Amino acid sequence: MSATLASTPAADGYRMPGEFEEHQGCWIAWPERSDNWRLGAKPAQEAYAAVAEAINLSEPVTVAVSDRQFEHCRTVLSPSIRVVEISTDDAWIRDMGPSFVVDGSGGRRGVDWHFNAWGGLDGGLYFPWDRDERVARKVLEVEGADRYRAPIVLEGGSIHVDGEGTVMATEECLLNANRNPDLSREQIEQALFEYLGAEKMIWLRRGVYNDETDGHVDNLACFARPGVVLLTYAEDESDPQHAISRDAEERLQRARDARGRSIEVVRLPSPGPITITAEEASGVDAVAGTLPRRDGDRLAASYANFYLGTTRVVFPLLDERCDERAGEILRGCFPEREVIGVPAREILLGGGNIHCITQQVPARREGV
Ligand code: KQY
């Protein structure tokens, strides 16, 4: 059972914990739409299954799947992975799922943001999106967590928190006219503070080059822990990603977090540039209203788009020239966790990566 509450997380003493804090589990939604995933989504399903299995060794995974794919999904995944029927429009539970918040007395609730498929009729990625819009509420029903209905359009991948009062996001996404055109920057900040239990905003300018989400921060940077941010950094000055990363690094170096700390930036290599091949593009069904996939288009590849599990970090393998280096950097940042790379090109082809297809359920906290 899940009640919808009229108050806000901040008013009730709840906060969104950092992803590096302990989890109870993780949700993933199963891909199947053939106008986003090539070859009827079969290669993407294999990649999603590998991610689910890798995370399931860190914390219990639940997969949301349509009735059409239930038998197949149930058959290919390990029995210890819970599979539940939930209708979706696509498979990005970071964005359509709830953001969980906790208090210090064992409470756990969820924030259900408004979802408009990354821009609605003004640059959104598909139409309609009403099934995605209901996913957060259904997940909260399954989890038995009460729900806050936040009054703004927001995707979970467009924010990162340090769990100690700081929110990080890009202006490109959150201030985009296709999300909350009637709200000022200050009103958006206020809504984030109320619904995430936070008090300080770090604004980056732009997300990864050519990111179809309008620059989600989770593809560019993330908190490894309070005071430390991992940032995708293109060293090649002729790559448009270089100026974006440099600007983000400068902003982070000037910033102070909610506790007044300065931020240490750890650079991750930028893979590629990686582009779609003609064969890959031709495997995607062309449908009016869905973002087309075209031969030669640059993909928004980034190692920052990883899942930070309780005992394992699961990161995307994207470019054999720098996969190993990315893994080493992550191992250096998370010495107490196992760091595992999973082939992720098929997820990238759909427009995101491992962080975008996952949603952690934090452990309840008591006595804090
Ligand atoms: O990166 C994400 N958080 C989601 C990407 C959605 C892409 C839809 N084609």
Side-chain angles (χ1 to χ4, degrees), residues 40-77:
K42 288 299 149 200
Q45 289 171 1
E46 260 184 53
Y48 271 61
V51 171
E53 299 288 353
I55 295 174
N56 197 45
L57 294 175
S58 168
E59 56 218 48
V61 170
T62 302
V63 175
V65 63
S66 74
D67 180 54
R68 288 179 299 276
Q69 279 288 312
F70 181 84
E71 291 290 351
H72 170 61
C73 177
R74 180 61 286 171
T75 304
V76 299
L77 294 176

Side-chain angles (χ1 to χ4, degrees), residues 96-120:
M96 62 197 180
S99 302
F100 285 93
V101 290
V102 294
D103 67 4
S105 314
R108 183 175 54 225
R109 297 174 175 167
V111 180
D112 180 358
W113 312 96
H114 287 265
F115 179 79
N116 75 354
W118 307 274

Side-chain angles (χ1 to χ4, degrees), residues 257-276:
D257 68 14
R259 301 269 176 110
R261 282 180 291 243
S262 56
I263 307 285
E264 179 194 342
V265 177
V266 178
R267 292 181 182 179
L268 282 166
S270 179
I274 297 177
T275 53
I276 308 183

Side-chain angles (χ1 to χ4, degrees), residues 305-343:
N305 207 318
F306 64 86
Y307 184 72
L308 182 37
T310 303
T311 64
R312 291 191 132 196
V313 170
V314 181
F315 79 100
L317 297 175
L318 294 165
D319 177 347
E320 57 190 19
R321 293 168 302 174
C322 40
D323 287 343
E324 206 171 305
R325 178 85 192 111
E328 274 168 24
I329 294 168
L330 292 171
R331 278 181 200 100
C333 268
F334 304 108
E336 69 295 350
R337 290 169 161 98
E338 202 179 352
V339 175
I340 305 291
V342 173

Side-chain angles (χ1 to χ4, degrees), residues 191-204:
L192 291 174
F193 296 164
E194 279 298 317
Y195 283 85
L196 297 171
E199 68 235 30
K200 176 79 198 262
M201 196 76 204
I202 297 180
W203 285 108
L204 306 181

